[in-house]
Amino acid sequence: MINTFFVYSKSNDDLLIVTQESGNFHERYQTVQNYLSQILGQTVPHQGNDWQLIQSGDPYFLVQMKDLGSEMYAGCLISLNSLAMPLSTWDVGEGGGTLIVTDKGQPLTGQFFPMQTYAGFKKQLEPVNQVYQILRDETNKKEYLVVGEFSKLAKIHYLIIVAEKNILQNLPYLHKAIYFLPLGVSLVLALYLAFLQKIFFKPMGQLIRGMRQIGRGQFDVRLNESNSTEFAFLISTFNDMVKQIEHLKISIYEEKIRVQQAEFKHLQVQINPHFYMNCLNIIYNLAALKDHKSVKKMALHLADYFRNLIRTERTSVSLADEIQHINNYLEIQVMRYPDSLTFAIRVEESYRDFQLPSLTLQPFVENAVIHGYKKNSERFCVEIEAFPDPDDPQHYFIVAISDNGNGFTPEMLRELSSDHYANQSGDGHLGIWNVLRRLRMSYGTAKIHFANREQTGAEIRIRFPLQHHFGQGDGSSV
């Protein structure tokens, strides 16, 4: 970049110049002469590493000179156009260029950028020490981006000027990209949500609905397989689990039925010896009195009972059969107390075929005779009656067993009316507890009411549902 070297001898006033611009030798010689006369005419000649800015005609130069001693000086010139040449090779687009200015903004080169355009925004260039500036040419109404940098060795400023249209020439494509970007994002989001709906939300919702159905007791629910590997495993496991729960529920239900049937048969067997022992005791007493006629009559009643029992092993009997059992029992008791015991049975014909557990009413009649009978008093009477329920005659009927005996004590009445008595083991009053237990297993809606009559004696009322399949009780309190 160095255009010219020179050596000057002050004592001989001799100047030697070497320049690359041989065609401009005289201009360069005159430029050096003017510089030497100026700098050597100073009281203290300039010494240092800074380059001085000088002008010779149109071009500007940077010059630096060294004192070699013995009044000998050597120096060189650099054209600012040469300094600007490398920067001009940068592609700044149409309307841009390279410019070197002073620290005051005065242009030093005009070869690589039009001075007229620079003059349009020169005033806006202050201060020039800013690296980036956006300037507007008021003449052509165009804006330019100016990037500048100071030289560390001279008081000059390098400027690269880029027209705004070159910077923004691809902006329409960016505008279009920005315009379609939300649509693209929305489309991608919609596809992603559809993917999540199919892979995650739909199987999850199906799984939640299946769990809710199981919570409501619907164990026949089965879920469809999912496309997602993870949910396919969950749904498959869920279906297997529900299937196992359903089978387990059925097994538990069947086992519960078997247990109830076994308990029912055990209770049935338990009540029979209780009745047999009382009958045998009566026969023994009659035989002890040598009342053979009464023994034969009572034996006939017992034979009828045994004949009926041997004929069937059903756990339920009709109300008519149950009344016949009671009639046999009471006939035996009348034979035992002919002058002090009587009974009356009134059952409407429409209720005689109703099915109920065997020996449901007989224990209450037996208890009435055993606990209600008062010696040395008026004739003891037991009444059995079946009639429609006054509160709901379409769905229930009542079987009432009453007597004119001692009645219940207040303590016994409270005990029989409490749920505690129905839930205890039954060791105290086996017959009544046995009936309560079997009715609980057979009729969820059957109820027993214990009370004392207004005059004298006790009354027991059992309410039976007319429309009820025997043996399907819900286990509710009786």
Side-chain angles (χ1 to χ4, degrees), residues 465-477:
L466 289 173
Q467 302 296 329
H468 196 90
H469 182 63
F470 178 80
Q472 298 296 324
D474 57 8
S476 59
S477 299

Side-chain angles (χ1 to χ4, degrees), residues 89-343:
T89 60
W90 292 11
D91 184 13
V92 294
E94 183 181 358
T98 302
L99 191 64
I100 298 178
V101 300
T102 64
D103 54 357
K104 301 298 184 182
Q106 180 183 353
L108 303 178
T109 60
Q111 182 178 356
F112 307 108
F113 190 78
M115 289 296 97
Q116 183 178 0
T117 302
Y118 175 73
F121 59 76
K122 176 183 176 183
K123 294 181 180 179
Q124 306 174 38
L125 199 60
E126 301 292 345
V128 295
N129 58 348
Q130 294 186 13
V131 179
Y132 300 98
Q133 298 185 65
I134 301 296
L135 306 178
R136 179 179 178 82
D137 184 1
E138 298 297 340
T139 303
N140 56 19
K141 306 299 182 182
K142 296 180 180 180
E143 293 186 349
Y144 298 87
L145 171 65
V146 180
V147 182
E149 180 68 24
F150 272 113
S151 172
K152 298 179 180 179
L153 302 177
K155 295 182 179 180
I156 59 175
H157 196 71
Y158 296 90
L159 300 179
I160 295 180
I161 304 168
V162 184
E164 186 183 46
K165 66 177 183 177
N166 296 327
I167 299 176
L168 305 179
Q169 62 182 354
N170 293 325
L171 191 59
Y173 301 103
L174 180 61
H175 284 167
K176 292 180 181 178
I178 294 175
Y179 179 77
F180 288 106
L181 183 62
L183 297 179
V185 171
S186 300
L187 180 60
V188 172
L189 183 61
L191 293 176
Y192 182 68
L193 290 178
F195 176 77
L196 286 181
Q197 175 70 17
K198 181 179 181 181
I199 301 299
F200 181 78
F201 292 113
K202 186 177 179 180
M204 180 62 73
Q206 184 182 197
L207 192 60
I208 292 174
R209 288 192 297 271
M211 290 181 177
R212 289 176 177 172
Q213 288 178 307
I214 290 179
R216 293 193 293 266
Q218 302 176 9
F219 294 100
D220 58 343
V221 60
R222 296 295 184 272
L223 304 182
N224 298 325
E225 294 293 336
S226 173
N227 294 329
S228 173
T229 305
E230 293 77 8
F231 275 100
F233 174 75
L234 286 177
I235 290 176
S236 176
T237 305
F238 177 86
N239 290 336
D240 294 340
M241 179 187 68
V242 174
K243 186 177 180 180
Q244 293 176 10
I245 292 176
E246 185 178 16
H247 290 166
L248 181 62
K249 180 182 178 182
I250 294 174
S251 300
I252 293 176
Y253 183 74
E254 292 176 347
E255 183 66 22
K256 183 178 179 181
I257 292 177
R258 287 194 293 267
V259 171
Q260 285 187 345
Q261 290 176 346
E263 182 181 5
F264 195 91
K265 291 180 179 180
H266 172 72
L267 293 173
Q268 184 68 42
V269 172
Q270 194 177 33
I271 195 67
N272 288 334
H274 188 73
F275 175 68
Y276 301 155
M277 291 175 63
N278 283 280
C279 292
L280 293 176
N281 186 48
I282 294 174
I283 292 176
Y284 172 79
N285 291 330
L286 290 175
L289 295 174
K290 298 182 180 182
D291 188 353
H292 303 292
K293 183 178 180 179
S294 297
V295 170
K296 289 190 292 182
K297 184 177 180 180
M298 185 171 58
L300 181 62
H301 286 297
L302 286 175
D304 291 339
Y305 173 78
F306 285 119
R307 186 181 300 110
N308 186 288
L309 186 64
I310 295 172
R311 185 187 60 180
T312 177
E313 294 181 353
R314 295 177 300 173
T315 57
S316 65
V317 296
S318 65
L319 180 60
D321 291 338
E322 181 73 5
I323 292 298
Q324 183 62 39
H325 284 301
I326 295 174
N327 184 78
N328 290 331
Y329 173 77
L330 290 176
E331 286 288 351
I332 294 172
Q333 296 296 341
V334 169
M335 291 173 59
R336 182 180 180 186
Y337 307 107
D339 298 327
S340 58
L341 190 146
T342 184
F343 66 92

